[in-house]
Amino acid sequence: MCGIFGYIGNKEAVPFILEGLKKLEYRGYDSAGIATLHKGNVFISKCAGKIADLETLLAQKPISGAIGIGHTRWATHGRPSDINSHPHDDCRGKIVVVHNGIIENYLELRRELADKGHKFKSTTDTEVLAHLIEDNMNGSLLQSVSRALSLVRGSYALAVISEHEPEKIIVARQGSPLIVGYGEEETFISSDIPAMLKYTGRTIQLDNGEVGEVVPKKAKFYSLHGKPVAKKIELISWDPESAEKGGYSHFMLKEIHEQPNAIRKTIEGRVEAESHKIHFDELNLSDEEIRKINRVVFTACGTSWHAGLVGEYLFEQYAKIPAEVEYAAEFRYRQPIIDENTLVIAITQSGETADTLGAVWEAKAQNAKVIAICNVVGSSIARDAHGVVYTNAGPEIGVASTKAFTTQLTVIYLLAVLFGKRKGIISDAQAAKLINDLIEVPSKIESILYREKEIEQIAHSMKDATNALYLGRGKGFPIALEGALKLKEVSYIHAEGYPAAEMKHGPIALIDQHMPVVVLALAGSRYEKILGNVEEVKARGGNVIAVATENDVLITEKADKIIYIPQCSEAISPLLAVIPLQLLAYYIAVKRGCHVDQPRNLAKSVTVE
Ligand code: AGP
């Protein structure tokens, strides 16, 4: 939700900031702006639209300076417009802020400041911060910012520059991520690590309630009360190339193709080659604690919630622990009945999703054990949960989640097997078989990716649809939901995922010759039932696109189009079956001319409730 990038050093700041903002554009892209300090004076350039529009504006009317802060916006308060774009400044144009988050008491603060004579230009919550700092200007800029922030309720990642102290950037964090990176001759600030990876992997993450004073090559951190905070530099080992498109036309396509290797990395180091023993030291759970767990609650949002739904099936099947999956935003506010023998597993790619974080806090308050399955190292959730298991997928930049999902499934699968073993539900031999099945997944995904052209052709036949239905049973049901979500997100075609048997209780009324119905007709215990559902769709003139298992001849008589996945066990079938659905959504979106990596209205990490 909004991206911040800043530069302070001995070179022109604008090119660095523009490049950083382009990498952060996945976080929001309805307006953008940059402010620089040059010879002690502030210069601002901002406009509604994408970073490319800002670039055009800057080409017509350049600004310069070796200190600058930039912003790409996902509007919450105030519609996207030139005036509402960040940076925002105070009455005299001397204090400039960029902000990610929401100031909850902004109306109250705005009224008080207006009564004191402050003049507001925009309708945003953020502008209040610039005036509030101005109103509290006494002592150093850092002290003034800290004083102003102590009056604020809500969430923020904040960067401030000012003519009052034109040789530094002040940063602050409460609830929204902000990272400081040390380059050779300069310092960067950014909302995420990939945006600065090209320049540095030496980073410091701000924690909640911290402010920092950033100058070239160094930064000092304090609590809001002015107490110095010692922080450790973290070395990020991600390859800078991983944050680039690497020859693919979109990040989404690149990330779909990265899945075999991403899954290999997720397994690596966690499964012993010979013995097939599973290690998750980072869980922070002893064998005794695992044995005591009598309930598992997955909590997450969006695609990560779908991973939790697969987890529910896997944990009940292999560990025989009652499991359920909860939307984080619901879980956190409904006073869940959980205790110290409940394991809450929060799943999140970003580790910054506001509702998932809230669910973690609630679960901890109720004494449950909380582990996070997360992709972003050092993210808020990784700090707040009792234990964290990283998915090791590398940076996921495309707004539509792909490799994060399959690596989440990989971790959940391993955890289900581990818990099953510890609880004495599955034998060593059964566990070894399950792990072998998982180890084969990457090469099986590769064989699906070889068939990309066939999927592209099917996408062509679906590109003009206005609605689509996705049906699945058992572990195919969460994949139906995920396939429908992918299609909605990137192509704007209305799509519904349904448990196939539920179709006849309502959605069947929608079926006619214009309705593509994607059916997960996978081999396994529910195969015959799902064939029955295919018949029901065909009898009503529906157009069936089946995802089926190789060598299934029966399906050729029933479905209009078929995408085959390799033969596999039912337990790992979600990891394979989702791949064609990701490709289908991708190619349909491309053929409809949609902006695949930056779908309208969406942001990669939803850091507001
Ligand atoms: C996935 O394609 C979505 N963009 C979205 O549903 C996402 O999965 C959700 O916002 C949760 O994000 P998280 O995994 O970073 O918490």
Side-chain angles (χ1 to χ4, degrees):
M1 205 78 27
C2 303
I4 292 175
F5 197 90
Y7 171 93
I8 180 162
N10 54 11
K11 303 191 183 79
E12 272 302 321
V14 169
F16 286 100
I17 297 174
L18 276 174
E19 203 182 324
L21 290 181
K22 281 181 196 161
K23 296 227 167 69
L24 293 170
E25 212 172 2
Y26 72 89
R27 299 176 70 90
Y29 27 82
D30 57 46
S31 43
I34 294 179
T36 54
L37 272 164
H38 185 54
K39 296 188 178 158
N41 296 314
V42 160
F43 296 87
I44 299 178
S45 180
K46 61 181 190 172
C47 60
K50 298 200 176 253
I51 312 290
D53 299 302
L54 177 65
E55 237 174 339
T56 311
L57 182 67
L58 282 162
Q60 289 157 1
K61 231 176 136 212
I63 58 173
S64 68
I67 303 175
I69 52 177
H71 188 267
T72 177
R73 181 170 186 242
W74 186 85
T76 56
H77 294 60
R79 66 181 182 83
S81 68
D82 291 351
I83 284 289
N84 285 340
S85 313
H86 298 216
H88 290 284
D89 56 0
D90 67 332
C91 296
R92 294 185 201 93
K94 290 184 184 299
I95 301 167
V96 182
V97 302
V98 290
H99 164 227
N100 169 27
I102 289 182
I103 305 304
E104 287 167 5
N105 57 338
Y106 88 102
L107 278 177
E108 186 185 319
L109 292 169
R110 187 178 167 122
R111 216 172 298 121
E112 285 169 17
L113 290 162
D115 286 348
K116 289 183 180 174
H118 287 265
K119 297 269 176 289
F120 287 86
K121 293 172 271 218
S122 77
T123 52
T124 63
D125 54 337
T126 300
E127 194 188 346
V128 160
L129 293 173
H131 293 275
L132 199 60
I133 298 167
E134 180 184 25
D135 208 61
N136 282 278
M137 205 64 203
N138 185 4
S140 71
L141 182 61
L142 181 97
Q143 287 165 337
S144 311
V145 171
S146 304
R147 207 172 302 115
L149 290 178
S150 65
L151 304 170
V152 159
R153 273 198 319 275
S155 60
Y156 51 79
L158 187 71
V160 185
I161 53 172
S162 169
E163 290 185 7
H164 298 292
E165 290 180 32
E167 68 296 332
K168 62 184 68 155
I169 303 176
I170 303 295
V171 290
R173 175 198 166 134
Q174 179 62 44
S176 301
L178 199 62
I179 296 136
V180 174
Y182 298 105
E184 289 295 308
E185 300 294 330
E186 57 262 305
T187 312
F188 300 89
I189 58 167
S190 174
S191 294
D192 78 12
I193 292 169
M196 60 166 82
L197 262 188
K198 186 172 166 190
Y199 311 111
T200 181
R202 298 173 64 232
T203 64
I204 283 185
Q205 306 240 9
L206 270 90
D207 281 307
N208 286 339
E210 286 178 1
V211 283
E213 197 172 57
V214 182
V215 294
K217 298 196 278 185
K218 51 176 204 256
K220 285 184 191 156
F221 300 91
Y222 305 86
S223 73
L224 276 190
H225 307 295
K227 204 166 152 232
V229 181
K231 312 242 343 146
K232 221 174 114 218
I233 294 181
E234 277 184 73
L235 287 175
I236 304 295
S237 57
W238 286 348
D239 171 6
E241 282 299 306
S242 60
E244 308 289 336
K245 279 193 214 152
Y248 287 92
S249 31
H250 297 97
F251 278 111
M252 182 177 176
L253 187 61
K254 179 187 175 229
E255 287 158 8
I256 290 173
H257 279 262
E258 281 174 345
Q259 288 177 107
N261 280 336
I263 292 170
R264 285 185 186 108
K265 280 198 180 147
T266 310
I267 300 172
E268 213 173 75
R270 286 168 173 157
V271 175
E272 273 180 32
E274 295 291 304
S275 65
H276 284 62
K277 275 195 184 139
I278 302 171
H279 297 286
F280 273 118
D281 303 337
E282 62 271 51
L283 272 183
N284 268 338
L285 284 175
S286 67
D287 288 358
E288 189 48 34
E289 283 174 313
I290 291 182
R291 277 190 279 272
K292 279 193 187 152
I293 287 163
N294 57 19
R295 188 169 162 220
V296 170
V297 179
F298 292 96
T299 187
C301 305
T303 287
S304 299
W305 186 87
H306 297 155
L309 204 49
V310 176
E312 186 182 355
Y313 286 87
L314 291 174
F315 263 73
E316 294 200 340
Q317 187 172 356
Y318 295 118
K320 294 277 176 267
I321 306 176
E324 61 214 86
V325 54
E326 297 263 11
Y327 286 112
E330 295 299 318
F331 177 79
R332 63 182 296 193
Y333 289 119
R334 69 182 187 80
Q335 296 169 319
I337 303 166
I338 50 177
D339 59 27
E340 66 281 6
N341 294 324
T342 307
L343 176 67
V344 172
I345 304 183
I347 310 169
T348 166
Q349 188 285 129
S350 60
E352 303 293 345
T353 301
D355 284 320
T356 311
L357 268 169
V360 165
W361 301 332
E362 176 61 25
K364 281 172 79 181
Q366 305 292 334
N367 293 326
K369 299 201 167 56
V370 183
I371 60 165
I373 297 175
C374 176
N375 194 39
V376 177
V377 178
S379 56
S380 302
I381 221 149
R383 286 146 191 258
D384 288 359
H386 296 126
V388 57
V389 179
Y390 287 114
T391 44
N392 299 341
E396 189 183 67
I397 314 275
V399 168
S401 188
T402 53
K403 62 177 179 172
F405 179 67
T406 44
T407 52
Q408 287 165 353
L409 292 185
T410 305
V411 168
I412 292 168
Y413 184 96
L414 285 171
L415 287 177
V417 176
L418 177 75
F419 277 56
K421 269 183 76 174
R422 294 284 181 278
K423 290 224 163 213
I425 307 291
I426 51 176
S427 65
D428 285 355
Q430 284 167 315
K433 155 86 178 76
L434 290 165
I435 287 166
N436 272 335
D437 289 345
L438 182 68
I439 289 171
E440 287 173 6
V441 164
S443 61
K444 290 189 174 177
I445 293 181
E446 271 153 4
S447 73
I448 300 171
L449 294 172
Y450 283 131
R451 297 197 152 137
E452 195 170 349
K453 280 272 162 266
E454 291 168 34
I455 299 168
E456 189 178 352
Q457 275 163 15
I458 297 177
H460 189 76
S461 71
M462 275 178 76
K463 74 174 190 342
D464 297 319
T466 46
N467 295 287
L469 200 56
Y470 284 66
L471 303 176
R473 280 174 177 258
K475 296 180 201 80
F477 163 53
I479 301 308
L481 291 178
E482 176 59 9
L485 178 64
K486 287 286 91 85
L487 188 69
K488 276 185 273 209
E489 281 188 295
V490 296
S491 78
Y492 317 142
I493 295 175
H494 170 244
E496 296 277 354
Y498 250 88
E502 274 292 305
M503 175 191 62
K504 53 189 174 298
H505 299 284
I508 199 163
L510 298 169
I511 293 172
D512 63 14
Q513 69 276 21
H514 305 297
M515 172 71 97
V517 183
V518 179
V519 184
L520 289 135
L522 305 170
S525 54
R526 293 167 171 91
Y527 177 70
E528 284 177 7
K529 304 271 181 222
I530 203 121
L531 274 196
N533 301 129
V534 171
E535 300 273 14
E536 287 158 8
V537 174
K538 287 308 298 170
R540 277 135 193 111
N543 177 17
V544 172
I545 296 111
V547 178
T549 313
E550 235 162 32
N551 299 337
D552 177 352
V553 271
L554 219 49
I555 196 76
T556 54
E557 295 163 20
K558 312 208 183 277
D560 298 279
K561 299 204 165 58
I562 305 167
I563 306 168
Y564 284 109
I565 63 164
Q567 293 194 346
C568 62
S569 73
E570 252 182 276
I572 59 144
S573 63
L575 277 153
L576 304 185
V578 74
I579 309 294
L581 303 190
Q582 295 169 344
L583 286 168
L584 200 58
Y586 171 77
Y587 280 111
I588 292 172
V590 169
K591 286 172 196 297
R592 287 166 70 91
C594 299
H595 208 316
V596 178
D597 284 334
Q598 294 163 6
R600 72 179 175 213
N601 304 339
L602 291 181
K604 179 74 181 158
S605 37
V606 184
T607 55
V608 293
E609 284 191 49

